[in-house]
Amino acid sequence: MPPLIDQAVVLRLSDYSETSQIATLFSRGNGLVRLIAKGARRPTRSRPSIGLDLLESGEALFVLAKGEAGLGTLTDWKQQQLFLELRTNPVRLYGGLYSAELLLATMQENDPHPDAFDAVFSLLIELSDPASPPPNNAAIAKVVRFQADLLRSIGYLPNLRQCVGCGRTRSRGQPAWFSSRAGGLLCAKCQDRYPDKHELRAALLDGPRGTTPPEEWFALLDYHLTEVSARPFLAAKCLREALATGGGHL
């Protein structure tokens, strides 16, 4: 099988030997790929160091796994974006780590989602922009947009316009509930049928886009993603703690 060239973001790194690592990349054209990066930890006589870092992007040259082999081989890595500003602030950093956790939990290997790749790449660019506003509200709003883009890409974007139980459109000011298992909003009549639900403030749904608290939307979509993937996200807890303490430099 000839090597493939693709744009990718490094989602996870784990040691394999004294000189090698296992790299989990999210690539634009090939989706999630797990590759052995020989010489990534330090160079050998026959192979220079590849030099991978978490949450960086670059151009990957790799060979996919053959048959039942679990790992492909990363033969070259051309570093392109380091996103260094992520390392200067915990809100930015945990926002990036949270996006990596979401992709690892929701994506299947070798199943391309170029729209999800574009979304995470844009998120990392925006989170690492030193000219962006103070990171707390601005950063969490960007993470919320990524949550929505990812849910749309995998087909789990919830219905927030009408009751998924009876189909009635919600009127402004009316109470509403959200159930991940139901797939969206529930009205007062239908909510009793679903024990796993969260009551939503009318103001959250009625407010113009961009004016409602992004932390509330983050919590709602994180709950939904947790249910979809059947696992909690460690970086979500860290991100909430960083927001509560006002961020600050690392």
Side-chain angles (χ1 to χ4, degrees):
M1 181 181 295
L4 302 172
I5 300 176
D6 206 350
Q7 299 297 309
V9 172
V10 181
L11 301 185
R12 178 187 288 162
L13 294 170
S14 56
D15 295 340
Y16 183 79
S17 68
E18 290 185 0
T19 60
S20 301
Q21 288 181 311
I22 295 174
T24 304
L25 309 182
F26 185 55
S27 63
R28 193 176 195 279
N30 293 272
L32 205 65
V33 289
R34 294 177 66 247
L35 309 168
I36 183 168
K38 298 179 180 179
R41 298 185 66 194
R42 66 171 182 260
T44 64
R45 291 183 180 180
S46 61
R47 185 184 295 272
S49 174
I50 291 178
L52 292 163
D53 199 5
L54 193 63
L55 293 180
E56 70 177 14
S57 72
E59 183 181 83
L61 181 68
F62 58 95
V63 178
L64 293 175
K66 297 179 181 179
E68 297 182 358
L71 296 173
T73 302
L74 181 65
T75 59
D76 194 22
W77 174 257
K78 294 181 180 178
Q79 200 176 64
Q80 293 177 335
Q81 294 277 358
L82 297 178
F83 307 116
L84 292 177
E85 193 68 21
L86 290 178
R87 277 74 175 174
T88 66
N89 181 278
V91 175
R92 297 179 193 266
L93 177 60
Y94 290 126
L97 292 173
Y98 177 72
S99 71
E101 266 198 279
L102 292 186
L103 291 169
L104 288 166
T106 58
M107 292 291 152
Q108 300 294 320
E109 290 188 44
N110 309 126
D111 181 18
H113 283 262
D115 51 348
F117 177 85
D118 293 343
V120 72
F121 186 80
S122 295
L123 173 66
L124 295 175
I125 286 284
E126 292 173 349
L127 289 178
S128 60
D129 182 3
S132 64
N136 290 3
N137 285 341
I140 200 67
K142 293 175 173 62
V143 173
V144 169
R145 187 170 67 245
F146 173 73
Q147 289 174 309
D149 288 342
L150 178 60
L151 286 165
R152 184 179 296 106
S153 177
I154 62 177
Y156 282 92
L157 188 68
N159 184 344
L160 297 176
R161 295 183 179 275
Q162 56 192 186
C163 176
V164 295
C166 63
R168 294 179 180 174
T169 300
R170 174 188 168 275
S171 299
R172 289 179 61 86
Q174 287 187 343
W177 289 258
F178 178 85
S179 168
S180 179
R181 293 182 184 180
L185 286 185
L186 296 168
C187 67
K189 292 183 178 179
C190 295
Q191 57 91 13
D192 286 337
R193 303 203 304 265
Y194 297 88
D196 65 312
K197 58 182 181 292
H198 289 235
E199 187 170 2
L200 302 179
R201 295 189 309 114
L204 181 66
L205 300 171
D206 292 342
R209 180 176 296 181
T211 63
T212 52
E215 293 87 353
E216 289 189 54
W217 284 111
F218 172 78
L220 178 67
L221 295 182
D222 180 65
Y223 150 70
H224 184 45
L225 283 156
T226 298
E227 292 294 318
V228 167
S229 59
R231 53 162 288 184
F233 301 106
L234 176 61
K237 178 183 177 182
C238 296
L239 182 54
R240 290 189 186 96
E241 291 175 352
L243 288 167
T245 57
H249 289 277
L250 291 170

